[in-house]
Each structure stands twice: as structure tokens, then as C-alpha cells.
Amino acid sequence: MRGVVGVQYLIHTLGCQMNERDSEIMAGQLETMGYTAAASEEQADLIIINTCAVRASAEDHAFGHVGRLKQLKEAKPSMTLAVAGCMAQEPGTIAWLKKHAPHVDLVFGTHNLHQLPRLLDEASERDEMLVEVWKSAGDSLAEHVPSRRRDGVRAHVNIIYGCDKFCTYCIVPFTRGRERSRAMTDILREVQALAREGYQEVMFLGQNVNSYGHDLDPKVDLADLLEAVEEVDGIRWVHYMTPHPRDFSDRLLEVIGASQKISRQLHLPLQAGSNPILRRMNRKYTREQYMALIDRARAAIADVSFTTDIIVGFPGETEQDFEQTLEMVREIRFDSAFTFMYSPREGTPAARWEGRDPVPNPVKKDRLNRLMELQYEISLEANQGLIGKSMVVLVEGVSKKNDSVWAGRSQTGKVVLVDRVPGIDLTDRFVPVHIDAAKTFYLSGSVTGDPLGAPSALGHALPLLQS
Ligand code: SAH
Ligand code: SF4
Ligand code: F3S
């Protein structure tokens, strides 16, 4: 590996938190080599597009980036352009890039990003695109690869890679490979180091976090890991993303209910409310089992908040099927939902059914609108129910849209705008807030006391609020 001086990089990250974490690992390796972060594409000597393949819209976004950067590459041939991430795992993407985007210098995938320094070296010595994508992960997990986490007090920590669930619409098992859990000791060591550096919130990441540990010897599970992290001094909040509704044990619910630190937001992707559709999606639960889980969670966790993901227009979805989804949304009253139109992914079973039994696009759009309308109504009512309550908010910074308020999040993941107090910076602080008003997508309130605990060691030496 060659060291470099005065060379700048820029990473465009599309997709989920796992891609964000991968970008941090790419950035860490680059900074170890001597690269610094570039402020703009024009200044960058290396641009990496870390892609997402989950829906056609995400792929179009990535192709758009690649196309747009052609001009810049022509004007500055010394610049290196790389494509990474989930799309790189798909043979169709490689074929497309070779045909339409020969200005790309390097393509690497989700399983070999820890080899970035060598890949850059090799790419720099070639005239043609270097494609190095592994079909599956190596035998051992790449631990101890440097990473450059973004600023703040919240850190993302991988706990399990890959997905073995094979929902019939989903590309992720193909782009991320089989489930591989990190050893609990490695995860805890990382969390302890983060706490020493001043991080106060960790977000455990996996496509399927409640499969965590089934492949380890001895077997452990997510409840064990969450219990252990509860003991790490300095960590105030613990989140995890994403659980699957199928493997939610009573013990896991108990551990969350008894915890002072673990998020009370349960993100439980429902996907559909009709049993025939759930079966064809291979979700491995029925609407009745999902409802029973909601009831168990309500009983075990005080102030629990539910959020979800829903797909409309899965092949063969009838109006009656869709109405069953609406019915479940009405009954459960999710705090919020990510809603998607079904997007066929090449190589998945549902993409083959889409050819035979598609839901026409206007129908998909109409269902999405009806679902969103209902969910917005419920989100607003749920938020209005919080007016007059107090909650702790982790302030992330001054709102980008309105500089008279700070923007932050509650432990249940709600966006909270907090009136600014002149002369005080509460960025990265946990503050008690009284909720005064509610909108569909956020709450607003005012600070009622001193921030909790000491300021983070990460900077932001702040004066304490006078109450
Ligand atoms: N592992 C997580 C998230 C996977 S991707 C889970 O199982 O919930 C995030 C969301 O994208 C999914 O929950 C699903 O709602 C949506 N999604 C996945 N594939 C899709 C497709 N082909 N078309 C539309 N939405 C999709
Ligand atoms: Fe995709 Fe299903 Fe795995 Fe989630 S659980 S990543 S939706 S296959
Ligand atoms: Fe997208 Fe890959 Fe995440 S397909 S959602 S970036 S795992």
C-alpha cells in the first residue's frame, strides 16, 4: 500500500445504515492512507459511489451519479471514480457499467471493501476498469479495519451481516450474502472503546438483528447482547435496526422492557396485511401472529412505539388484500411507516410473478397514496397525544430549515424541534424537553432543565444550562 499526501476523497452513500457504516470503513482506510475529505466533487481525487439495489429508484439514482460524473472525469482524468456497494454485487450492473460507463475506474462489492487500499493501487496501474467483486464473504469477518465515524455522539455498530430470510421480493440476501454474526466480545470491545471516545448512543446494525448469534459457538442472542451493553458505562441509548417480526422472543421483549437504555421504538416491518400476500412474500408470519407480537410488546414495554415498512402492489395483490393492510394499519396505529411501491428485482422469485400478475402502476400509486394518507392521519394523532408530556431529546444541531430551533430525536426516534436558548449550544447533548406542539412528522417543545450527564469528550465543551 502506498501512502498519499494532499489527496482528497468524497463518498456518495445511497441506501441503508449498513451502507453508511461501510462508507465509514472506506473513509477510515482512506484517511489511514493519507487521504482527506474533499468539500466538493471538483476538489476530489477519488469519488466512490456506494450504491443501493433495494428498489429501481435507488439504482436509477446511482446510474444518474455515474453518468453525471463523466464530464468531471473527462476534465480531470487523474481523478479515480469507483462504484461500490450492493449494486456492484449484481452481474447486470457490471455489464451496464462496461457498456455505458467506461469512465469508471474501479468496481468493488460489499464483501471486499476492507481491501480498498490494494484495489486503489491496482486500479491506478490499469487503463481499463478494474472489477473485483466477491460472490460471498471470506471465511473470517474483517475485524479491526480502521473507520472514520461521522461526528456526533451516535455510532453505528455492525452486529450481523447478510440475510438468510429470502423474502421473495428482496435483493438483499443476494447482495449481502449469508448471515454472519460478529463475536459478542468484539462488539462489546468496540462499544467500550466508543464510550471511552465519548459516544453516548449506539445503533446496532443488521438486516435481521434478531437472528444475531445463532451461528456463533456457543450460541448467543440479541437479548444477551443488549443485556451486556446495558452495563457499558457512558452509553446512554441503545438502538438496533432492523428486527424481523418472526424471531421476537419473550425474553427479548422482557430485556427491552426492563432496560434504562434500550430504545422503546420497535421497528417491525409488516410489509403486508393479508395472509396470502405474506405467504407469497415468504415473511413466515401471519397477520394474527404479527398482531399477537404487538400485544406482547405492549404488555412488556411501557411507552412502546411501533414503526414499520409496508410494500404496496406486490404481484397479485388484490384490492381486498390491500384493504387488509389498511385495516392492520388502522388497528395497530403505527407512529410512522416507510411505505414503498413494489419494485421488481431481477433474480428474485417475485420478479418472475410480476411478469404474470403485475399490479398496474396507477393502481400501485393509488394504493400508496391511500396508505400514506391514512398513516399521516394516525402519525399526527399519535404526536398530538404527546403534547404536555416531557421527554429526553438528543439534540443533533441547529435545524437546517429554521435557525431558531434545535433539531433532535427522542429515544423513540421522534424528531423533536427545541426552542433555542440564546448563547447556549446544546448540540450532542441529552436534554429534558416539554412537548408544546405536534405535527405529522415532528414534535416541538422547550427545554425544561440541565442537559443530562457530562458533555461528550468528542468536543462541544458546553456551558450548562441555567434553570
Ligand atoms: N431487513 C429489513 C429491511 C430491508 S430493506 C427488513 O427485513 O425489514 C427495507 C425495506 O425496503 C423493506 O422492509 C421493504 O419494505 C422494502 N423493500 C425491500 N425490497 C423491496 C422491493 N423489491 N420493492 C419495494 N420495496 C422493497
Ligand atoms: Fe430482505 Fe426479508 Fe432479509 Fe429484510 S428479512 S433484508 S426484507 S430478505
Ligand atoms: Fe440497499 Fe444494500 Fe442496504 S440494497 S437497503 S444498501 S443492504
Side-chain angles (χ1 to χ4, degrees):
M1 177 173 64
R2 281 200 300 255
V4 289
V5 182
V7 186
Q8 301 189 29
Y9 73 93
L10 191 139
I11 306 176
H12 286 298
T13 308
L14 308 169
C16 66
Q17 281 111 337
M18 249 146 292
N19 258 17
E20 281 175 29
R21 180 71 192 121
D22 285 350
S23 289
E24 291 178 347
I25 292 168
M26 293 177 206
Q29 295 178 80
L30 294 171
E31 294 193 9
T32 306
M33 291 171 78
Y35 280 79
T36 53
S40 67
E41 285 179 345
E42 287 68 28
Q43 284 170 17
D45 303 286
L46 164 66
I47 298 180
I48 302 176
I49 306 170
N50 191 7
T51 61
C52 168
V54 80
R55 282 171 290 276
S57 53
E59 295 204 333
D60 291 346
H61 206 125
F63 287 136
H65 266 301
V66 172
R68 197 175 44 75
L69 286 169
K70 184 168 184 212
Q71 249 185 344
L72 192 63
K73 173 79 191 177
E74 276 167 4
K76 189 177 169 185
S78 65
M79 189 260 281
T80 302
L81 177 58
V83 173
C86 286
M87 280 172 73
Q89 295 297 135
E90 299 180 296
T93 305
I94 311 292
W96 188 93
L97 289 172
K98 287 201 162 148
K99 189 157 173 212
H100 300 285
H103 60 288
V104 170
D105 301 289
L106 169 64
V107 184
F108 60 100
T110 57
H111 299 303
N112 61 339
L113 55 102
H114 57 283
Q115 296 196 320
L116 184 54
R118 178 183 66 73
L119 294 171
L120 284 171
D121 252 7
E122 283 185 29
S124 70
E125 277 155 23
R126 288 167 62 118
D127 293 330
E128 282 181 358
M129 187 186 297
L130 172 65
V131 179
E132 216 175 291
V133 177
W134 296 1
K135 277 207 167 61
S136 60
D139 288 339
S140 60
L141 298 180
E143 291 288 344
H144 315 299
V145 183
S147 84
R148 167 74 170 88
R149 286 191 155 87
R150 60 186 178 161
D151 295 333
V153 292
R154 171 179 300 153
H156 288 167
V157 174
N158 288 319
I159 64 168
I160 178 167
Y161 303 98
C163 181
D164 289 351
K165 287 282 188 279
F166 288 96
C167 302
T168 52
Y169 51 80
C170 186
I171 197 72
V172 171
F174 303 93
T175 65
R176 293 273 167 178
R178 300 290 58 75
E179 288 176 357
R180 284 124 26 233
S181 299
R182 286 180 69 198
M184 203 154 108
T185 45
D186 286 331
I187 297 170
L188 289 173
R189 210 174 295 132
E190 183 173 348
V191 174
Q192 280 151 357
L194 288 167
R196 280 196 299 276
E197 284 172 45
Y199 288 94
Q200 299 184 36
E201 180 181 357
V202 291
M203 164 77 90
F204 284 145
L205 297 180
Q207 285 299 350
N208 223 319
V209 285
N210 42 7
S211 292
Y212 173 72
H214 73 90
D215 52 336
L216 295 176
D217 184 20
K219 272 191 188 177
V220 287
D221 63 18
L222 183 62
D224 298 327
L225 177 63
L226 291 177
E227 256 182 350
V229 85
E230 183 90 15
E231 305 300 318
V232 179
D233 283 341
I235 297 299
R236 201 177 280 281
W237 284 356
V238 180
H239 292 263
Y240 50 95
M241 191 63 89
T242 307
H244 191 292
R246 186 183 163 214
D247 307 315
F248 230 102
S249 69
D250 282 333
R251 192 167 103 75
L252 180 54
L253 292 171
E254 270 164 40
V255 167
I256 299 168
S259 165
Q260 301 299 310
K261 298 183 177 178
I262 304 167
S263 173
R264 266 128 218 290
Q265 177 198 1
L266 289 199
H267 184 74
L268 290 173
L270 169 65
Q271 312 299 5
S274 123
N275 283 337
I277 297 291
L278 284 171
R279 195 170 50 246
R280 284 199 290 118
M281 284 179 160
N282 194 30
R283 290 294 287 179
K284 300 191 170 84
Y285 54 82
T286 61
R287 58 188 270 128
E288 291 76 19
Q289 284 166 331
Y290 186 97
M291 286 302 294
L293 170 58
I294 295 280
D295 290 341
R296 284 196 287 138
R298 284 206 167 111
I301 307 168
D303 295 326
V304 62
S305 148
F306 297 109
T307 57
T308 199
D309 295 350
I310 295 172
I311 299 174
V312 300
F314 185 80
E317 184 190 64
T318 63
E319 175 62 21
Q320 286 77 9
D321 290 322
F322 173 63
E323 276 167 19
Q324 294 215 308
T325 299
L326 293 179
E327 194 182 287
M328 283 194 77
V329 168
R330 245 181 247 118
E331 213 162 306
I332 296 165
R333 301 184 63 77
F334 296 105
D335 279 73
S336 66
F338 293 108
T339 51
F340 308 104
M341 282 197 281
Y342 168 69
S343 170
R345 307 287 69 213
E346 205 182 310
T348 61
R352 293 193 288 280
W353 306 333
E354 176 80 351
R356 292 201 298 270
D357 204 2
V359 175
N361 238 358
V363 177
K364 278 187 190 164
K365 278 193 186 137
D366 175 63
R367 287 183 189 163
L368 186 70
N369 287 337
R370 284 155 66 199
L371 175 61
M372 280 164 55
E373 213 171 289
L374 171 64
Q375 182 53 51
Y376 289 171
E377 212 180 286
I378 294 170
S379 295
L380 178 61
E381 283 168 17
N383 282 347
Q384 282 168 340
L386 296 170
I387 295 175
K389 298 226 156 113
S390 290
M391 56 180 69
V392 174
V393 173
L394 170 56
V395 173
E396 287 166 3
V398 174
S399 160
K400 288 192 184 90
K401 291 189 194 131
N402 173 359
D403 65 9
S404 67
V405 292
W406 285 298
R409 276 179 195 276
S410 72
Q411 202 185 11
T412 51
K414 300 238 181 216
V415 174
V416 186
L417 302 181
V418 185
D419 293 337
R420 274 177 82 184
V421 182
I424 294 175
D425 182 4
L426 288 180
T427 305
D428 291 339
R429 303 297 309 265
F430 292 78
V431 287
V433 169
H434 180 269
I435 302 303
D436 306 316
K439 293 276 195 307
T440 308
F441 299 112
Y442 61 88
L443 303 165
S444 354
S446 37
V447 178
T448 56
D450 281 347
L452 311 184
S456 153
L458 293 168
H460 303 293
L462 308 170
L464 283 188
L465 191 69
Q466 307 296 317
S467 50

